[in-house]
Amino acid sequence: MFEQARTASVWLRLHGVLIYIFLYAPIVLLVFFSFNKSPSGTLPITGYTLNWYRELGNDYFLLDSFRNSLYVAGIATPLATVIGTLCAFGLVRTQFRLKGLFSSLILMPMVVPGILLGAALLIVLRPILGLPLSIWTAALGHVVVTTPYAVLAVATRLYGYDRRLDAAAADLGASPGRAFWHVTLPLVTPGILAAGLIVFTVSLDTFGVTFFTIGAQGTLPMYIWSQVEMGIRPTVNALGTLFMLGSIAILFCANRLLRRR
Amino acid sequence: MTKGRLTRRKFLQSSTMAGLGTAAALRGTSSLITPARAATLEGPVNALTWGGRVIQSQQDDFYKESGVHVNFIGASGNSENLAKIKLGGGSQYDIVGVDALWVPKFYEEGVIEAFDMASWPEYNDMFDQFKNLSIWKVGDKFLAQPWAWSPLVLWYNADKIKTPPTSIKFLWDPELKGRIALTRQQEDVIAWMGVATGAKKPYDMTKDELAAAKDALKRLMPNVLKFPPQEEELVKLAADGSIWVTALSAGGALRIKDAGGPTMKGFLPPEGYIGYFDGDCIVKGAAHKPAALAWMQHRVHAKYVMENFLKYRRPLAYRGPLEVLKREGKADYAHELFYDQPEIISKMVIIGPPPDIGAYVDAFNEVVGS
Amino acid sequence: MSSIAHAAAQRQAARGFRMPWQVFAFLPISALDLVLFVLPMLVMGVASVLVIREFHISLELTGRSYLFFLGSPLYLWILGKSVLLALGVTAACLVLAYPFAIFLTKLPRNAQRTMLVLVILPFWTSYLLRVYAWMTLLGESGLINRGLTSLGLLDEPLRFLLYNNFSVVLVSVYLYLPYAALALYTALERLDLSLVDAAKDLGARPWQVFWHVTLPLTLPGVFASFIFVFIPMVGEYVTPSLVGGARGLMIVNVVVSQVQALRFGIASAMAFVIVALILGLVLALSKAARLERVFGV
């Protein structure tokens, strides 16, 4: 079953397809529900309508929260990815005492419950550091809890890296900087890409830390949890569908452009 | 008007407009004449509150009148809100949405301040019960602007439960195995148990009363399907028949019906029932207090209150919609939703933080976690 | 070293003392964590040993907050339950994600990156929506039940699909599978297939190839996968409260409820115990994986 053939066996391909179905089945449902006339947003499907998309255009509060979520994720992702990549290089290519402890400690921001870390972070930010709260402070909070993901993603990639490639580059006259940029970095890129994807995704869903560290703004998870009385209307559904479909579209466009290289 | 001629009329007109504009801005009512942008109102108004308290149409109107933007920041819990404002300092928010008996707590913690409401035009529109709400008042000033209220009615599926219940103890009927759901508010669940076991003050129980409530919850567990974190789920569960009994505000049956569900009947137990009223408060040290006050006056205009009532189907603290409904011959509808019975408020067990919230949380966790 | 490299090294030496690059590597994360993690943890640590009543701190030391957790068989049991559940979900994710990651590496080169992003793309819709979607699939009048009933395979809807441990595991696996798959893919893609070929040439059977060559070489990926699933899963409390039954109480539910009860001391103490436990587990695991030995770093 795990035969390392050059092409995948039938079983592997079946498994792959099944997993994609598993991942997308609920999403397909969501897309259907975004067109569902019934305001409950779930079964039964009482009819089809574009109402929710229209309502979405007018729901400034929902759109604002979504935009804020994107801002925070947009700031946090490059920061966390860069910091994590640097740390990964350090971890994989150096040896020092207590390295095991250090690397394990780095992962701990993932463990502390977000709402509690958020409250403690708030105390540090306000009474102690005196910083005004804003999208930036929320993004900082996100960076803290998502950097461990970036470290792991890049380190995973870096472990299999063949150091002889660096030596070869040096032999050919490249300075360490050039070797890094033209040899190392491209080979580590899948890890960095994975890191960025994961950080961005985690950031979009983070609630606990966000609530306490953000200023007078709301993010999408905050908006959703505030709809206690009414529940989420299908407009949130429409938003999710649009964003996902939009991302797929951007992805295919980017792919076309990159392929020309 | 011809350019360049400063006639007496033009001078009078512009100064009247400026005067009226300032007066209107200060009073915050929507005037018939568009006022000059009042220099007194500085925004934006940052409101940390729940969905439904800041509606798009209200926001747009207010912006047109005053040039001030209202920022809605989603809140998710009274204690989180309290912690955030207390730990972070109040300057980033102007308004915070608070429930019932949490208001005095917010005041004790120095997080909100009292304000004068009696001079507002809509003040007279409030039910007397709210004008005289002593726990929300400091002297003549108010700690919160009342918004909505409702008893939590025990709605039951009339098709599955043929005999109307006569006591809250019907919840423990073994026939209801896995057919009950309540929201995951630990204090409220324990308080319901307190009501059933005859506690004097379900939100301020003695150790013995708490133990009795905890025991009641233990015995109820086989009948509970789940404790969803959001209310809307209770509606969905009742609508698809997974549960037959739940506690929801006044419009529960209508919401369930809209979601394609069966006819639900409401039951207010003779032993007592929980209820709430909520409102919005001015944060102490708010950066845009005048604008916030103006917004609060604006948003209780009759038409907005009506809009909110029709959408959420539970009563508000203002008479306006009630009168309109009576005139339109829909008095029954209003009655069904308790709008014409504000006297109930004194009979409800009002939600709020127990003096020792932890004890209630522990009682809940110990039963549910085992 | 060749003469060119030698010359380069000499040039560098001539420039005088150079900051070891490791400083730049570790400086950002250390600065970040010191100010924005260690400091809050210190705050929490202080809170966990002082007598605190809601927002009023006294300077009295106490072990009561720790005793609340460590002295309670119920809460320790909930902790154990949560860890076991997390381990189960992690194992399921690893088993499902590994073949999937292999499948990804065997796709045509240019398709791989796209397919990779497609794995995580569904997660750019709201988390709550995805969980709700599962509830419409698994519920009593959900899609699965309706489908099976209309096909005549069922008389009564299945009530055991939702609101129990099964649904919690299923939905959790759904939520964490992409992270596991991404981590494993990153490691697998780098795998030198010539080593695999060599093993086969030496007569190894497929299972042996996997166990002795593939798995050890992709151990960092497995380790990362484990961390990506296990740690957040221990901290899960929203999913169990949505798809778990009435009794679905996880340890972080308890911690969050203590924060909501404004019991910061107890919440902090509980968090520290959980962190200490997980730290120990992760340390033990990384030592066992012996990543250094495999790669001679």
Side-chain angles (χ1 to χ4, degrees), chain C residues 237-256:
Chain C
Y237 68 98
V238 179
T239 308
S241 72
L242 288 170
V243 295
R247 290 191 189 269
L249 204 66
M250 297 290 127
I251 192 66
V252 179
N253 271 119
V254 181
V255 179
V256 169

Side-chain angles (χ1 to χ4, degrees), chain B residues 79-80 82-83 86-87 105 109 177-179 184 186 221 224-230 233 236-237 240-242 355-359 361-362 365-370, chain C residues 53-56 68 74-75 77-78 81 128 132 135 139-142 159 163 238 240-249 253-254 257-264:
Chain B
S79 38
E80 287 96 295
L82 179 58
K86 179 107 188 178
L87 295 174
K105 188 167 184 79
E109 295 290 347
K177 187 154 192 227
R179 296 295 183 187
R184 204 182 191 83
Q186 294 100 332
M221 285 306 280
V224 180
L225 179 66
K226 62 176 297 200
F227 294 106
Q230 291 210 316
E233 232 192 294
K236 291 196 184 122
L237 287 171
D240 71 13
S242 306
D356 183 2
I357 312 177
V361 163
D362 287 342
N365 285 343
E366 282 160 26
V367 173
V368 172
S370 55
Chain C
R53 173 145 180 79
E54 295 191 352
F55 295 104
H56 309 285
F68 179 86
L74 172 70
Y75 290 135
W77 185 74
I78 296 180
K81 201 174 64 163
L128 211 61
Y132 277 159
M135 288 157 76
E140 203 172 317
S141 39
R159 287 195 78 189
Y163 306 133
V238 179
S241 72
L242 288 170
V243 295
R247 290 191 189 269
L249 204 66
N253 271 119
V254 181
S257 66
Q258 298 300 330
V259 175
Q260 288 169 335
L262 301 176
R263 277 179 168 176
F264 300 111

Side-chain angles (χ1 to χ4, degrees), chain B residues 138-300:
Chain B
V138 172
D140 280 331
K141 295 198 178 165
F142 280 80
L143 290 174
Q145 179 194 43
W147 183 238
W149 61 274
S150 176
L152 286 180
V153 181
L154 289 175
W155 298 102
Y156 63 94
N157 188 327
D159 300 327
K160 306 281 183 179
I161 301 176
K162 303 277 205 257
T163 17
T166 48
S167 152
I168 196 175
K169 303 220 174 25
F170 89 103
L171 291 173
W172 280 261
D173 189 344
E175 295 268 310
L176 291 179
K177 187 154 192 227
R179 296 295 183 187
I180 300 181
L182 296 168
T183 31
R184 204 182 191 83
Q185 275 296 108
Q186 294 100 332
E187 305 96 73
D188 297 343
V189 172
I190 298 292
W192 271 116
M193 299 298 106
V195 168
T197 53
K200 277 210 207 67
K201 291 196 202 163
Y203 281 95
D204 188 3
M205 291 197 265
T206 65
K207 258 201 159 136
D208 294 327
E209 289 172 334
L210 200 54
K214 187 174 157 191
D215 184 69
L217 182 59
K218 212 182 267 177
R219 287 180 286 114
L220 186 67
M221 285 306 280
N223 284 4
V224 180
L225 179 66
K226 62 176 297 200
F227 294 106
Q230 291 210 316
E231 223 186 56
E232 190 59 16
E233 232 192 294
L234 295 175
V235 173
K236 291 196 184 122
L237 287 171
D240 71 13
S242 306
I243 58 169
W244 297 344
V245 187
T246 186
L248 283 171
S249 55
L254 292 169
R255 287 159 77 180
I256 295 172
K257 196 119 230 161
D258 279 351
T263 316
M264 307 286 283
K265 293 223 176 92
F267 173 53
L268 288 177
E271 292 92 341
Y273 45 92
I274 298 186
Y276 70 90
F277 44 84
D278 54 37
D280 289 286
C281 311
I282 296 281
V283 175
K284 195 169 198 176
H288 316 107
K289 184 167 158 187
L293 286 170
W295 161 252
M296 280 166 75
Q297 287 179 56
H298 169 92
R299 64 101 165 225
V300 288

